[in-house]
Amino acid sequence: MIRLDDVQIFVQTVDAGSFSEAARQLSIAPGLASSAVQRLEKALGARLFMRSTRSMQLSEDGERYLPHARALLGALAQGEQALAQGRGALTGPLRLSVSSDFGRNLLLPWLDDFQHQHPGLSLQLRISDRAADLLRQPLDAAVRYGALADSGLVAMSLAPDNRRALCASPAYLARHGTPSSVEDLRRHNCLRFVWSEQVHERWRFTLPGGERTVSVSGDRVSDDADVVRRWAIAGEGLVYKSRLDIIDDLVNGRLVEVFPHQHCEPAPLHLVCAERVQLTPALAQLRDFLRIRCDAHAARAPVD
């Protein structure tokens, strides 16, 4: 008989990287964590970890078993949430991955409101401009911009009409002039950010004559898109990012749009989970809540 707590300790050990760290997170003795995984290995008739005195990593059998272990624990949590929903409450963890700028400046206060409405939820938030691996990381969902390359993921639209915006501070434009065409971008200092190890430096536009991509350059690049936005506000160059992220800056005059936003690259916003069975009542309600907030925020944007 496989014990569910052994499965939980196995998954926790994978995520933590060691028995000692998993034990610390679970508030148990390291020996208990090791014994639990050994008991699970015996029940499965398979070796889940390759161990040495200096390292520990998943075996091939461990790699194969891990997604099923996560699914088992996920199904258990969904069952508990279904019972709670029957009593009119959402409970349990809500584990999200979000991008830096949107996460810090918009989503964070929205999630505060959502959690206050559902105090039975415990929020776990990962803010990063690296693409989260929803199949391997302990996450319920991610909030992502752009078209999804992972066709197996389930994407729920939050802001389907959102686009990027090309903008700069009034001070920068006063010093360097306003670009009159996309070709002018080559002579401007363009502030770039890194998304999942790749520098976003090919800026795409939809012009009356068709699609146009411009390779830009500049003296600043960061793997944190919030930092890039702050550089733009400080007058250091042009920035090309989601219009949702910079609406407050546009409204308050900290940034000015250079081109009409309908000419800029689409940047739809999605709530993404690994598979349909992960669409828990908490995620479904969060999706509806965020759609309303995104619509209200987008309505504040200046009209071209």
Side-chain angles (χ1 to χ4, degrees), residues 9 41 49 78 133 135 154 159 169 179 197 200 210 227 246 257:
I9 291 171
E41 289 177 324
F49 288 106
Q78 289 172 33
D133 187 342
L135 297 175
V154 177
S169 72
E197 309 299 333
H200 184 247
V227 168
I246 50 91
E257 283 192 87

Side-chain angles (χ1 to χ4, degrees), residues 57-133:
Q57 62 184 18
L58 277 174
S59 66
E60 290 185 6
D61 283 339
E63 292 276 4
R64 282 191 287 267
Y65 183 67
L66 179 60
H68 300 286
R70 291 199 193 280
L72 177 63
L73 296 177
L76 180 65
Q78 289 172 33
E80 293 172 350
Q81 289 183 2
L83 291 174
Q85 187 184 32
R87 297 189 292 268
L90 297 178
T91 63
L94 182 58
R95 302 165 301 183
L96 301 174
S97 171
V98 301
S99 58
S100 61
D101 203 346
F102 182 80
R104 290 191 188 102
N105 300 310
L106 289 177
L107 190 62
L108 194 60
W110 294 353
L111 288 177
D112 286 342
D113 291 343
F114 186 74
Q115 193 173 24
H116 292 158
Q117 294 176 20
H118 307 285
L121 291 174
S122 62
L123 182 64
Q124 299 175 23
L125 191 62
R126 295 188 178 190
I127 294 184
S128 173
D129 284 326
R130 295 174 180 265
D133 187 342

Side-chain angles (χ1 to χ4, degrees), residues 70-247:
R70 291 199 193 280
L72 177 63
L73 296 177
L76 180 65
Q78 289 172 33
E80 293 172 350
Q81 289 183 2
L83 291 174
Q85 187 184 32
R87 297 189 292 268
L90 297 178
T91 63
L94 182 58
R95 302 165 301 183
L96 301 174
S97 171
V98 301
S99 58
S100 61
D101 203 346
F102 182 80
R104 290 191 188 102
N105 300 310
L106 289 177
L107 190 62
L108 194 60
W110 294 353
L111 288 177
D112 286 342
D113 291 343
F114 186 74
Q115 193 173 24
H116 292 158
Q117 294 176 20
H118 307 285
L121 291 174
S122 62
L123 182 64
Q124 299 175 23
L125 191 62
R126 295 188 178 190
I127 294 184
S128 173
D129 284 326
R130 295 174 180 265
D133 187 342
L134 292 170
L135 297 175
R136 292 188 54 83
Q137 292 179 301
L139 293 167
D140 297 308
V143 180
R144 291 186 182 177
Y145 280 118
L148 300 181
D150 306 308
S151 58
L153 299 178
V154 177
M156 297 162 280
S157 179
L158 300 177
D161 298 325
N162 184 55
R163 306 183 77 89
R164 293 191 181 276
L166 179 67
C167 49
S169 72
Y172 176 86
L173 297 176
R175 290 196 309 269
H176 301 282
T178 300
S180 60
S181 71
V182 296
E183 297 302 327
D184 284 350
L185 298 181
R186 300 183 191 277
R187 63 178 181 82
H188 279 270
N189 196 45
C190 294
L191 307 170
R192 297 158 296 152
F193 63 89
V194 178
W195 170 252
S196 290
E197 309 299 333
Q198 184 173 358
V199 179
H200 184 247
E201 57 190 356
R202 290 177 56 81
W203 294 0
R204 183 163 60 92
F205 301 88
T206 303
L207 304 177
E211 298 286 327
R212 183 76 176 93
T213 298
V214 180
S215 295
V216 300
S217 62
D219 62 4
R220 300 189 183 204
V221 61
S222 174
D223 63 353
D224 188 317
D226 186 30
V227 168
V228 177
R229 182 182 63 85
R230 291 169 186 263
W231 282 338
I233 292 171
E236 300 297 340
L238 289 159
V239 71
Y240 192 46
K241 64 192 297 12
S242 163
R243 201 166 190 248
L244 275 178
D245 290 351
I246 50 91
I247 284 176

